[in-house]
Coordinates of all heavy atoms in Angstrom, one line a residue:
D3 N 54.9 5.0 -43.6 CA 56.3 5.3 -43.3 C 56.8 6.3 -44.3 O 56.9 6.0 -45.5 CB 57.1 4.0 -43.3 CG 58.6 4.2 -42.8 OD1 59.0 5.3 -42.7 OD2 59.3 3.1 -42.7
K8 N 61.0 7.7 -50.5 CA 62.3 7.5 -51.2 C 62.1 6.6 -52.5 O 62.8 6.7 -53.4 CB 63.3 6.9 -50.3 CG 63.8 7.8 -49.2 CD 64.8 7.1 -48.3 CE 65.1 8.0 -47.1 NZ 65.9 7.3 -46.1
T12 N 62.6 5.5 -57.6 CA 62.5 4.2 -58.3 C 61.3 4.3 -59.3 O 61.4 3.8 -60.4 CB 62.3 3.0 -57.4 OG1 63.4 3.0 -56.5 CG2 62.2 1.7 -58.1
K14 N 60.1 6.9 -60.7 CA 60.5 7.8 -61.8 C 61.4 7.0 -62.8 O 61.3 7.2 -64.0 CB 61.1 9.0 -61.3 CG 61.3 10.0 -62.4 CD 61.7 11.4 -61.9 CE 61.8 12.3 -63.2 NZ 62.1 13.7 -62.8
A20 N 55.5 9.4 -67.1 CA 54.3 9.6 -66.3 C 54.6 10.3 -65.0 O 54.0 11.2 -64.6 CB 53.6 8.3 -66.1
G22 N 57.3 12.0 -64.3 CA 57.8 13.4 -64.6 C 56.6 14.3 -64.8 O 56.6 15.5 -64.4
H25 N 54.9 15.2 -61.5 CA 55.7 16.2 -60.8 C 55.6 17.6 -61.4 O 55.4 18.6 -60.7 CB 57.1 15.8 -60.7 CG 57.4 14.7 -59.7 ND1 57.0 14.7 -58.4 CD2 57.9 13.4 -59.9 CE1 57.3 13.6 -57.8 NE2 57.8 12.8 -58.7
F27 N 53.0 18.7 -63.2 CA 51.7 19.2 -62.9 C 51.6 19.7 -61.5 O 51.1 20.8 -61.2 CB 50.7 18.0 -63.1 CG 49.3 18.3 -62.7 CD1 48.5 19.2 -63.3 CD2 48.7 17.6 -61.6 CE1 47.2 19.5 -62.9 CE2 47.4 17.9 -61.2 CZ 46.7 18.8 -61.8
V39 N 50.2 30.5 -52.6 CA 50.7 29.2 -52.1 C 50.1 28.9 -50.7 O 49.7 27.8 -50.5 CB 52.3 29.2 -52.1 CG1 52.8 28.0 -51.4 CG2 52.8 29.3 -53.5
K42 N 46.6 27.7 -51.2 CA 46.6 26.4 -51.8 C 47.1 25.3 -50.8 O 46.5 24.2 -50.8 CB 47.6 26.4 -53.0 CG 47.0 27.2 -54.2 CD 48.0 27.2 -55.3 CE 47.4 28.0 -56.5 NZ 48.2 27.9 -57.7
V49 N 41.9 18.8 -47.9 CA 41.7 17.6 -48.7 C 42.4 16.4 -48.1 O 41.8 15.3 -48.0 CB 42.1 17.9 -50.2 CG1 42.0 16.6 -51.0 CG2 41.2 18.9 -50.8
A50 N 43.6 16.6 -47.7 CA 44.4 15.5 -47.1 C 43.7 14.9 -45.9 O 43.7 13.7 -45.6 CB 45.8 15.9 -46.8
L51 N 43.2 15.8 -45.1 CA 42.4 15.4 -43.9 C 41.2 14.6 -44.2 O 40.9 13.6 -43.6 CB 42.1 16.6 -43.0 CG 43.3 17.3 -42.3 CD1 42.9 18.6 -41.7 CD2 43.9 16.4 -41.3
C55 N 45.0 10.7 -46.0 CA 46.3 10.3 -46.5 C 47.4 10.8 -45.6 O 47.7 12.0 -45.5 CB 46.6 10.8 -47.9 SG 48.2 10.4 -48.5
I59 N 49.0 14.6 -45.5 CA 48.9 15.4 -44.3 C 50.2 15.9 -43.8 O 50.4 17.1 -43.6 CB 48.2 14.6 -43.2 CG1 46.7 14.3 -43.6 CG2 48.2 15.4 -41.9 CD1 46.0 13.3 -42.7
E60 N 51.2 15.0 -43.7 CA 52.5 15.4 -43.2 C 53.2 16.4 -44.2 O 53.7 17.5 -43.8 CB 53.4 14.2 -43.0 CG 54.7 14.6 -42.4 CD 55.6 13.4 -41.9 OE1 55.0 12.3 -41.6 OE2 56.8 13.5 -41.8
H62 N 51.9 18.4 -46.6 CA 51.2 19.7 -46.8 C 51.1 20.5 -45.5 O 51.1 21.7 -45.6 CB 49.9 19.5 -47.5 CG 50.1 19.1 -48.9 ND1 50.5 20.0 -49.9 CD2 49.9 17.9 -49.5 CE1 50.6 19.3 -51.0 NE2 50.3 18.1 -50.9
L76 N 45.4 26.4 -39.4 CA 45.4 24.9 -39.6 C 44.3 24.3 -38.8 O 43.6 23.4 -39.2 CB 46.8 24.3 -39.2 CG 47.9 24.6 -40.2 CD1 49.2 24.3 -39.6 CD2 47.7 23.8 -41.5
T77 N 44.0 24.8 -37.6 CA 42.9 24.3 -36.8 C 41.6 24.6 -37.5 O 40.7 23.8 -37.6 CB 42.9 24.9 -35.4 OG1 44.1 24.6 -34.7 CG2 41.7 24.4 -34.5
G90 N 28.7 15.4 -45.7 CA 28.5 14.4 -46.7 C 27.7 13.2 -46.1 O 26.8 12.7 -46.7
A98 N 18.5 7.2 -47.1 CA 17.9 6.2 -46.3 C 16.5 6.5 -45.8 O 15.8 5.7 -45.2 CB 18.8 6.0 -45.0
G101 N 10.6 8.9 -49.2 CA 10.2 10.1 -49.7 C 9.0 10.7 -49.0 O 8.2 9.9 -48.4
A102 N 8.8 12.0 -49.1 CA 7.6 12.6 -48.4 C 6.4 12.4 -49.2 O 6.3 12.3 -50.4 CB 7.9 14.1 -48.2

Side-chain angles (χ1 to χ4, degrees):
D3 184 351
K8 293 176 184 174
T12 302
K14 188 168 185 177
H25 286 301
F27 172 69
V39 170
K42 289 178 180 187
V49 172
L51 291 169
C55 173
I59 294 167
E60 185 168 337
H62 289 288
L76 288 165
T77 300

